Amino acid sequence: MVNIGLLGFGTVGQGLAHILNNKSEATPLKDINIKKILVRNLEKERKVKVSKDKLTLNPQEIMEDKEIDIIVEVTGDVDLSYRLVKEALNNKKHVVTANKALVSKHFEELSLLAEENDVYFLYEASVAGGIPILKPLKDQIRVNNISRLRGILNGTCNYILTKMTDEGLDYGQALREAQGLGYAEADPSSDVKGLDTLRKLRILSTLAFGSAIREEDIICHGIDKLLALDIKLLKEREMVIKLIGEVVEVDGGYQAIVQPKAFKDGSYFTMIREAYNTVSIEGDFSGVLNFYGPGAGMYPTANAVLTDIIDCVMNIQDKKNPLGNRKLENKNEDIRGKYYIRISNWKDYEVDLGGVIEEKVFEDDKDFAIITKEVRLSDILNILEGVENLALVNLED
Ligand code: NAP
Ligand code: HSE
């Protein structure tokens, strides 16, 4: 029997318990036992029932239990989980986590610590929810140089954008629905402001490029400032907006950005709807590989956590630190493209877009929208400095 100490019993933790309860005859699941569960509130009503004596408020009850072999961390709390995950790895317990905020913040340190202690540190569910992407990516980088990686990496944002585009739903209502379906983070501003996508891009790009690409190396624009007007104006041009995380290799360096991007309706990224995600990887031998599936939600995410647990139980992944030590220069200053820009209350600002306008798209007393010529993003950001209510959407070629 393999004993798990489960940290957290919310959407993902309960999904895991449900799958184990319902597959208790299957090998090797029948040998996996959730021994103790850390929560904040012992009295909370939960969809998945477990005996009360499994629940604890005291993490040390789990950490100091010598019969627990694997710590599964699904709290979402970064400070607590950092302390507990380090303690677990140092005590030679395997760690499986879905917490991208934790992995993103402490990726190098925890990867190295796991190797030093000859235990697993696995985090498949931390990126793109239910899509198996990190294990395949670790395989691909053994053969390929990855020159570009991009994806729709946040289920909540993709759900909101799909509902606004297809059903004309209001932003707030679409966000509430995503929360009700268990897709959003405890603080959904990290979804809509692009932070969650940024953390996933940080993990993917650091693995794919063999070089530490940290949160502060990635430009980040979310979807929180987009209006129904932006979606409508681009829809009239047969374009659909998606929140995209993207990293590309450019001579000796890389560019990394999270931004709303408009694609021709009917093209690949526009087919990814609701809480589905996709990750597209370009390798020199593999060509373009597209991974697609549910990006959030109880069972898809718990399923991804469980595949990591099984790998620990069966001892079938490499315990070696998968992170490379290339030094690549950040070239975000050179990012160029065409952009859709909408400024609200535009008469309050003295913004000189004169030199960059390719086409005026909309103007009334309140809103003013244009499409730019091909420009440097940093120049546009300089021009728009101080403007509060605006949309900036990159247009795919
Ligand atoms: P959740 O529903 O909010 O559940 C969090 C659980 O952790 C709750 O049971 C909570 O206890 C417990 N917890 C939180 N902070 C704690 C603390 N300081 N001490 C003790 N217990 C604590 O979150 P979730 O949606 O399951 O997400 C968990 C993790 O998986 C997050 O890192 C998230 O980013 C990641 N993830 C989620 C999804 C998804 O679709 N939901 C997908 C991929 C990855 P109480 O129940 O007592 O409050
Ligand atoms: N809040 C995240 C999302 C959960 O919506 O994608 C999955 O990582």
Side-chain angles (χ1 to χ4, degrees), residues 12 98 100 125-130 152-159 178 182-188 190-191 196-197 200 275 277 294-297 301:
V12 184
K100 50 270 167 147
S126 70
V127 175
I152 293 174
L153 303 173
N154 184 272
T156 302
C157 289
N158 206 49
Y159 186 88
Y183 302 149
E185 298 301 301
D187 173 3
S190 58
D191 293 294
D196 181 77
T197 299
K200 291 164 176 168
N277 281 189
T301 310

Side-chain angles (χ1 to χ4, degrees), residues 3-5 37 51 68 199 220 248 250 263 272 282 327 339 345 352 383 386:
N3 285 313
I4 286 175
I37 305 172
S51 71
I68 287 179
R199 289 169 177 148
C220 185
V248 279
V250 284
F263 295 87
I272 317 298
E282 236 172 281
K327 296 267 176 287
Y339 295 87
N345 304 324
D352 183 10
I383 294 172

Side-chain angles (χ1 to χ4, degrees), residues 230-248:
D230 305 317
I231 288 171
K232 176 176 160 281
L233 292 174
L234 285 166
K235 207 171 168 181
E236 283 168 8
R237 311 174 81 85
E238 296 180 359
M239 301 202 87
V240 175
I241 306 176
K242 296 288 177 184
L243 185 68
I244 299 289
E246 174 165 18
V247 60
V248 279

Side-chain angles (χ1 to χ4, degrees), residues 12 15-16 19 125 129-130 132 297-308 310:
V12 184
L16 179 65
I19 299 174
M298 188 177 216
Y299 298 124
T301 310
N303 180 67
V305 169
L306 198 46
T307 60
D308 276 348
I310 291 169

